[in-house]
């Protein structure tokens, strides 16, 4: 199983797992950020050992899915992907898009919580 298939499987497991808790969105963000942090660590270790790497698209997808906080911690903790362009640009775009989607969803659902 390659990293991309594994990441999709873990994303589905995270979504299913977060749905089992009373606050699924909070649990989703906790799980996806932890998962993203782990993937950055795995990729850094693979880079140091010259073994099979986690594709950049997978790292960007995890960040876009809400794991960008874990990605930032992973970048700083493992000193990984901190200077590489165009990854940094795509990462920034994925964070902005994620924030816009979350803000838009919150704005559309505001009447449910008022």
């Amino acid at each position: 199983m390659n990293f991309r298939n594994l990441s999709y499987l873990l994303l589905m497991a995270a979504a299913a797992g977060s749905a089992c808790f009373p606050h699924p969105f909070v649990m989703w963000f906790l799980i996806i950020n932890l998962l993203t942090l782990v993937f950055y660590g795995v990729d850094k270790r693979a880079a140091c050992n010259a073994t099979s790497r986690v594709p950049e698209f997978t790292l960007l997808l995890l960040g876009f899915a809400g794991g960008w906080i874990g990605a930032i911690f992973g970048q700083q903790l493992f000193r990984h992907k901190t200077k590489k362009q165009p990854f940094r640009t795509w990462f920034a775009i994925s964070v902005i898009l994620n924030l816009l989607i979350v803000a838009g969803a919150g704005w559309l659902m505001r009447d449910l919580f008022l």
Side-chain angles (χ1 to χ4, degrees):
M1 177 178 289
N2 64 26
F3 284 117
R4 185 169 294 178
N5 291 340
L6 177 63
S7 66
Y8 293 145
L9 179 65
L10 290 173
L11 279 172
M12 288 187 295
S18 66
C20 296
F21 290 95
H23 303 289
F25 293 113
V26 173
M27 290 310 299
W28 167 258
F29 281 108
L30 289 173
I31 293 169
I32 195 67
N33 279 290
L34 180 62
L35 183 62
T36 304
L37 179 68
V38 168
F39 265 74
Y40 270 81
V42 167
D43 191 43
K44 177 63 175 191
R45 179 165 291 221
C48 292
N49 294 336
T51 59
S52 182
R53 303 277 305 272
V54 177
E56 286 186 354
F57 179 79
T58 300
L59 296 175
L60 290 170
L61 176 68
L62 289 167
F64 175 73
W68 56 271
I69 296 170
I72 291 171
F73 278 116
Q75 289 170 1
Q76 298 306 310
L77 179 65
F78 302 116
R79 302 300 304 152
H80 189 54
K81 301 284 189 192
T82 57
K83 296 180 183 176
K84 186 172 183 190
Q85 289 295 347
F87 180 84
R88 298 289 298 161
T89 302
W90 284 110
F91 178 71
I93 291 169
S94 72
V95 170
I96 291 168
L97 286 174
N98 178 265
L99 290 173
L100 289 173
I101 289 169
V102 169
W107 185 76
L108 290 173
M109 294 174 32
R110 72 189 182 281
D111 293 334
L112 295 175
F113 299 108
L114 294 178

